[in-house]
Amino acid sequence: MVDLSSYNAGLRPDSILKVSDWADENRILSQTASSEPGKFRTDRTPYLKEIMDALSPSSPIEKVVFMKGAQVGGTEAGNNWIGYIIDQAPGPMLVVQPTVEMGKRWSKGRLAPLLEDSPCLRNKVKDPRSRDSGNTVQSKEFAGGIVVVTGANSAVGLRSMPVRYLFLDEVDAYPPDADSEGDPLTLAIQRTSTFARKKIFIVSTPTIQGLSRIEREFKETDQRYYFVPCPHCDFFQILKWENIKYDSDPLQAVYVCEHCKRNIENHHKTEMLRRGRWESTQRDAATEEQCEVESTAAISIKNPRVVGFHLSSLYSPVGWLSWGTCAQNYERAKDDDQLLKAWTNTTLGLPWEEKG
Ligand SMILES: [Zn+2]
């Protein structure tokens, strides 16, 4: 077992570099694990910048919640964070996947390419083939830290060690209970209690309304949405499914600006995303309510160290998932509850409301 006292002692001051700057400088997306291999560019998925930067040690944020649809590049935010920790701010980290098996698969399919393909990480974690490398599928040692990968179904794994960094991935696929020892999320978060400057990153596509962990976590945050400007009238708005319009061919779908009602084409998205900004939707509402009911104080004020982001696949960059394909997928799914549930979860990034 690793001696953890050296971690707590603080071997060196934290880097002031932000995770997004580090990623642009150092991160190489691998041929095997990425649809767009090569240098990582934050401007390809500009909405990830604020999420990644909240994970930087220079940010006072402790807990970052990300509820999302598919094909928005959300996985890379977590990967960049891991790379950053190994290179810039070493410490003990726990990565929790839904099961131990899925954790092993994630380690081989995602973590290993991350370590091999970015030159500045290549030598930081020793070759797993060398003896005493401290490098196995479930555990990667590096100077000043370790990344341990486990599953939410393993109470032993969740209690393995104190951690400064906790990455809870796809939490809506976690079992309700880890080996009858309680909620895996709670068990894992308890591991961070001894660290003053901890970071917790909770990511998932939601599942069923009321049961969804990521929905519950997101509701306890300041609930940030990504506002993008209309290319015609410059009105900033959240992209919503009800504003997607098409006639007979869903692939020709356009977005109708909620302000000027003019059509926005899919290719406009690049510029819209570039100029977009995250805004909390909770702060204003809560402040207004506060005048009437004192007890409903703004959540964002109660929990200044917790932030939450929601992003649907309607924000997927040009070349990944178009509004037309989202519409086509909707047409295929709309008459079947199971398909429509999956579409709602993965495309809109929203929990599904069960009937009855
Ligand atoms: Zn407009």
Side-chain angles (χ1 to χ4, degrees):
M1 197 60 210
V2 190
D3 174 20
L4 292 164
S5 57
S6 60
Y7 297 138
N8 286 311
L11 296 170
R12 66 181 198 196
D14 282 329
S15 170
I16 52 162
L17 195 68
K18 288 181 175 168
V19 173
S20 63
D21 293 328
W22 178 88
D24 280 328
E25 193 63 39
N26 297 292
R27 180 75 201 287
I28 304 293
L29 299 170
S30 73
Q31 212 87 41
T32 49
S34 174
S35 55
E36 258 177 35
K39 238 177 165 305
F40 177 88
R41 287 163 41 216
T42 301
D43 63 7
R44 189 79 175 103
T45 48
Y47 43 76
L48 293 183
K49 180 175 164 54
E50 190 166 319
I51 300 171
M52 290 192 283
D53 291 348
L55 295 166
S56 309
S58 55
S59 159
I61 304 299
E62 271 180 8
K63 186 163 150 188
V64 179
V65 177
F66 187 19
M67 177 157 87
K68 63 175 194 70
Q71 300 206 50
V72 291
T75 332
E76 296 310 337
N79 290 344
N80 288 336
W81 183 44
I82 296 171
Y84 178 95
I85 289 165
I86 295 171
D87 190 46
Q88 292 288 320
M93 176 184 223
L94 183 64
V95 178
V96 185
Q97 294 291 330
T99 64
V100 173
E101 266 322 297
M102 288 170 81
K104 287 179 184 171
R105 218 179 309 147
W106 175 86
S107 177
K108 289 177 195 162
R110 294 282 181 176
L111 184 55
L114 162 71
L115 301 175
E116 284 156 19
D117 294 334
S118 299
C120 72
L121 300 176
R122 208 172 287 149
N123 300 321
K124 297 238 154 108
V125 177
K126 283 185 209 146
D127 192 318
R129 286 163 295 193
S130 68
R131 297 184 89 220
D132 308 318
S133 66
N135 184 345
T136 65
V137 172
Q138 284 192 262
S139 146
K140 313 277 183 191
E141 274 181 46
F142 50 94
I146 185 168
V147 178
V148 172
V149 183
T150 190
N153 59 342
S154 164
V156 173
L158 296 174
R159 283 196 274 97
S160 61
M161 60 173 196
V163 290
R164 178 177 173 194
Y165 306 112
L166 179 60
F167 181 13
L168 300 164
D169 200 12
E170 284 304 334
V171 293
D172 271 28
Y174 285 13
D177 197 278
D179 294 335
S180 317
E181 291 195 30
D183 174 40
L185 219 74
T186 311
L187 287 175
I189 289 173
Q190 279 167 358
R191 301 286 87 213
T192 64
S193 59
T194 53
F195 286 87
R197 289 177 305 152
K198 61 190 151 203
K199 293 276 182 191
I200 302 167
F201 188 30
I202 308 181
V203 187
S204 196
T205 296
T207 50
I208 295 161
Q209 196 169 74
L211 297 175
S212 166
R213 288 176 198 279
I214 196 73
E215 178 194 29
R216 194 169 63 220
E217 291 289 333
F218 180 71
K219 278 185 171 169
E220 285 173 14
T221 71
D222 57 355
Q223 303 183 25
R224 295 178 190 194
Y225 289 83
Y226 203 62
F227 287 71
V228 289
C230 168
H232 308 299
C233 73
D234 218 34
F235 181 78
F236 277 76
Q237 57 204 294
I238 303 171
L239 296 182
K240 295 176 187 144
W241 172 245
E242 51 265 38
N243 295 330
I244 295 279
K245 294 282 168 345
Y246 50 92
D247 296 323
S248 53
D249 183 6
L251 284 175
Q252 301 299 320
V254 294
Y255 194 90
V256 178
C257 170
E258 69 176 56
H259 188 68
C260 73
K261 309 293 179 196
R262 276 192 273 182
N263 289 351
I264 304 172
E265 306 272 348
N266 191 71
H267 68 83
H268 284 122
K269 254 197 286 185
T270 304
E271 180 64 5
M272 294 165 79
L273 293 179
R274 190 186 69 77
R275 295 186 54 215
R277 57 185 186 228
W278 286 104
E279 278 176 35
S280 162
T281 54
Q282 204 56 23
R283 189 168 295 157
D284 294 343
T287 315
E288 278 164 29
E289 274 174 37
Q290 226 177 339
C291 307
E292 295 161 30
V293 191
E294 196 55 40
S295 60
T296 52
I299 288 166
S300 49
I301 294 166
K302 264 197 294 190
N303 281 323
R305 291 179 187 276
V306 179
V307 286
F309 301 89
H310 178 270
L311 200 75
S312 76
S313 301
L314 298 179
Y315 291 89
S316 182
V318 175
W320 291 11
L321 184 66
S322 68
W323 291 330
T325 305
C326 291
Q328 189 182 50
N329 292 342
Y330 173 76
E331 287 299 319
R332 287 172 180 162
K334 67 179 181 186
D335 298 323
D336 179 313
D337 267 6
Q338 278 312 305
L339 294 176
L340 193 57
K341 171 183 179 287
W343 180 87
T344 305
N345 293 159
T346 58
T347 303
L348 302 186
L350 290 176
W352 169 255
E353 203 175 337
E354 296 274 29
K355 288 178 190 147

